[in-house]
Amino acid sequence: MDQFPQDPFESVDAAANADRHRVRDSLFLMASVRVPGMRDLVPVRVRNLSSGGLMAETPKPIDKDIPVEVDVRGIGWVSGRVAWCTQGRLGISFNAPIDPMLARKPVVGRGKATIAKPITTLF
């Protein structure tokens, strides 16, 4: 029986896990998702945003692996793919990295500039 000095799959699993757990920024931000074949945009509430993707609450389920575009405030339209969708939430993996801090920069419009505020834990 062959013996490996270490599990040959350990480094693959560790790399995938490290990639999945990139630094995520917890926030509350409204966004719109464009899904091919759907006429209307799907409004979502972004809860976590990182350079590689986001997690959002959604009123409509969207099938896994569907290509989508997300209009993120301060960044614009970002293309990606639905990584998962369950119980009113979905994860979207972006096709290219973004700078998530741009979503926190003030957006100047007709009224006052607004800044997305981080969610703070009360515990």
Side-chain angles (χ1 to χ4, degrees):
M1 177 180 209
D2 291 334
Q3 293 272 325
F4 291 102
Q6 68 180 36
D7 183 351
F9 299 106
E10 184 177 291
S11 61
V12 173
D13 290 342
N17 198 29
D19 188 46
R20 181 185 166 341
H21 291 291
R22 291 181 193 156
V23 175
R24 288 185 291 243
D25 196 9
S26 294
L27 48 79
F28 178 82
L29 184 71
M30 293 302 295
S32 297
V33 177
R34 189 177 346 196
V35 181
M38 290 181 73
R39 195 178 86 192
D40 296 329
L41 297 176
V42 178
V44 297
R45 287 181 268 192
V46 177
R47 295 300 190 164
N48 290 313
L49 181 65
S50 72
S51 62
L54 62 80
M55 188 276 291
E57 295 174 345
T58 178
K60 297 180 181 182
I62 302 173
D63 291 335
K64 183 180 174 184
D65 293 326
I66 296 289
V68 294
E69 291 180 321
V70 185
D71 187 13
V72 181
R73 185 186 73 92
I75 297 171
W77 288 98
V78 181
S79 60
R81 186 168 293 280
V82 176
W84 55 270
C85 186
T86 183
Q87 300 176 3
R89 292 184 178 218
L90 65 90
I92 295 176
S93 177
F94 299 144
N95 292 342
I98 62 156
D99 180 356
M101 293 311 291
L102 291 175
R104 289 206 181 272
K105 288 190 176 182
V107 175
V108 180
R110 291 183 178 176
K112 295 180 184 177
T114 58
I115 300 173
K117 295 181 181 177
I119 295 174
T120 55
T121 306
L122 300 176
F123 304 100

